[in-house]
Amino acid sequence: MNVVSQKKSESNSFIDAPDTTVSAREVFGINVDFKVPAFSQGNAYVPEVDKAYRFNETTTRAILAGFVHNRKVLIQGYHGTGKSTHIEQIAARLNWPCVRVNLDSHVTRIDLIGKDAIVLQDGKQVTAFHEGILPWSLQRPVALVFDEYDAARPDVMFVIQRVLEAQARLTLLDQNRVIVPHPFFRLFATTNTVGLGDTSGLYHGTQPINQGQMDRWNIIATLNYLPDAEEIAIVLAKVPSYNNAKGKAVIKAMVAMANLTREGLKAGDISIVMSPRTVITWAENAKIFEDVDAAFQMTFLNKCDETEKAVVAEYYQRCFNVDLLGDVARVS
């Protein structure tokens, strides 16, 4: 069987193992001839399919290697490139349950491992161990995704390091129990930096990652922004009212504007960047206000530092031949 239609139950029950396969070439449009294990039916943990999503071939191969060969995959890239969504959309097409955990500074070791809690049992209050997300996922055919991996607290990182080992056994000290991973448990992570910390100031709160831990990730992929044609196609799919000659010209200019901010970021001229998500929001706001220029100011320009607005306005003039500086006060 080459293609799995997304059949999803609202229940939380799991099929114990993949029961079919899909063609990587047919389902993901990449130049690879291997078969990928998949589930004929998903459950409530399977993400919804986004039909407008475009797969990057190199990153898709890396993620599929994670699913097929149980490799632990770390994806690095700028915000808005679709790192987490890339994993989710592959899982969606495989009907593979997928759980995302954002490792912000409030996530603790207890959140991951679990804790004793008072529960009702036969009408009596008793103390029982309540599993955290890590042991829960380890025992099921789940793709666990750690977002903002380089923003996690050090004590949390060392908990995760246990499951990055070859056997990935997790010892619950409070329970005197060792959890052996389910054969179809898979582990992924996304990060804005590559474990060396942030020197640009863009990702405040991130920190260097223990290099012993970085070595335990089997595959590290870098995801960049999409080629212009693919980004234009995605925006048109998300905001179909632009799908005409005039609208396509506007979207093309919007994407060109976004690319100038990305180049400006790399050159150090500005400290904020337009992601594909920002372009989609801009296009949607332009329809709401019936004004592309005002929508840009409210979507992006007003986020910029005052010292950088002139640079951004120059980019805008190149793409739209409009001088925004005289109109900033109108909507700021």
Side-chain angles (χ1 to χ4, degrees), residues 157-176:
M157 298 296 276
F158 281 111
V159 171
I160 296 171
Q161 185 162 318
R162 301 181 197 176
V163 297
L164 288 172
E165 302 289 348
Q167 300 301 319
R169 292 169 178 258
L170 178 65
T171 302
L172 298 179
L173 299 177
D174 298 340
Q175 300 294 303
N176 295 325

Side-chain angles (χ1 to χ4, degrees), residues 31-177:
N31 192 28
V32 175
D33 283 325
F34 57 76
K35 301 293 183 181
V36 185
F39 295 86
S40 58
Q41 183 168 331
N43 61 18
Y45 295 101
V46 175
E48 295 290 340
V49 169
D50 179 356
K51 294 181 180 179
Y53 194 79
R54 298 292 192 276
F55 291 95
N56 173 275
E57 180 161 335
T58 302
T59 304
T60 301
R61 292 179 68 179
I63 296 170
L64 288 179
F67 279 106
V68 177
H69 300 290
N70 193 16
R71 310 302 281 170
K72 297 170 180 66
V73 183
L74 179 73
I75 303 176
Q76 181 268 336
Y78 286 115
H79 67 282
T81 52
K83 301 180 294 295
S84 304
T85 308
H86 211 302
I87 300 166
E88 280 191 325
Q89 287 305 306
I90 289 177
R93 286 158 175 78
L94 301 177
N95 273 331
W96 204 300
C98 181
V99 176
R100 285 173 59 178
V101 178
N102 193 309
L103 292 180
D104 58 49
S105 60
H106 296 289
V107 174
T108 66
R109 178 185 182 279
I110 289 176
D111 294 324
L112 288 187
I113 297 295
K115 62 181 178 180
D116 287 330
I118 297 174
V119 297
L120 282 175
Q121 196 173 85
D122 298 327
K124 297 180 180 180
Q125 288 187 343
V126 298
T127 301
F129 182 74
H130 181 71
E131 289 181 342
I133 192 65
L134 189 53
W136 181 90
S137 300
L138 269 172
Q139 299 171 81
R140 292 168 174 81
V142 164
L144 179 60
V145 184
F146 287 124
D147 281 335
E148 313 300 341
Y149 185 66
D150 49 359
R153 294 162 40 150
D155 57 329
V156 169
M157 298 296 276
F158 281 111
V159 171
I160 296 171
Q161 185 162 318
R162 301 181 197 176
V163 297
L164 288 172
E165 302 289 348
Q167 300 301 319
R169 292 169 178 258
L170 178 65
T171 302
L172 298 179
L173 299 177
D174 298 340
Q175 300 294 303
N176 295 325
R177 184 158 65 102

Side-chain angles (χ1 to χ4, degrees), residues 144-313:
L144 179 60
V145 184
F146 287 124
D147 281 335
E148 313 300 341
Y149 185 66
D150 49 359
R153 294 162 40 150
D155 57 329
V156 169
M157 298 296 276
F158 281 111
V159 171
I160 296 171
Q161 185 162 318
R162 301 181 197 176
V163 297
L164 288 172
E165 302 289 348
Q167 300 301 319
R169 292 169 178 258
L170 178 65
T171 302
L172 298 179
L173 299 177
D174 298 340
Q175 300 294 303
N176 295 325
R177 184 158 65 102
V178 176
I179 295 178
V180 177
H182 189 284
F184 294 98
F185 166 76
R186 298 293 184 262
L187 185 61
F188 302 90
T190 67
T191 173
N192 294 127
T193 68
V194 73
L196 302 176
D198 175 39
T199 58
S200 67
L202 279 176
Y203 302 112
H204 179 70
T206 59
Q207 55 194 337
I209 299 173
N210 182 313
Q211 287 302 297
Q213 183 165 144
M214 285 295 292
D215 285 344
R216 287 171 167 82
W217 288 96
N218 305 127
I219 297 172
I220 297 178
T222 298
L223 183 60
N224 291 315
Y225 292 109
L226 292 166
D228 288 6
E230 293 186 26
E231 188 168 348
I232 290 169
I234 289 174
V235 178
L236 289 173
K238 293 291 186 180
V239 196
S241 56
Y242 284 91
N243 203 3
N244 52 62
K246 183 179 179 181
K248 287 178 180 178
V250 171
I251 298 300
K252 183 178 180 180
M254 287 180 171
V255 171
M257 174 65 204
N259 282 329
L260 286 177
T261 68
R262 295 161 193 169
E263 293 302 318
L265 178 74
K266 292 175 184 177
D269 296 331
I270 58 175
S271 59
I272 187 171
V273 67
M274 290 182 69
S275 68
R277 187 185 306 118
T278 308
V279 178
I280 293 169
T281 302
W282 177 14
E284 291 170 341
N285 287 344
K287 284 296 180 182
I288 292 172
F289 297 110
E290 298 183 347
D291 188 330
V292 173
D293 304 337
F296 175 75
Q297 293 176 51
M298 287 184 276
T299 304
F300 184 74
L301 187 63
N302 289 345
K303 297 178 184 177
C304 299
D305 187 274
E306 288 296 329
T307 61
E308 298 177 356
K309 284 186 177 181
V311 178
V312 175

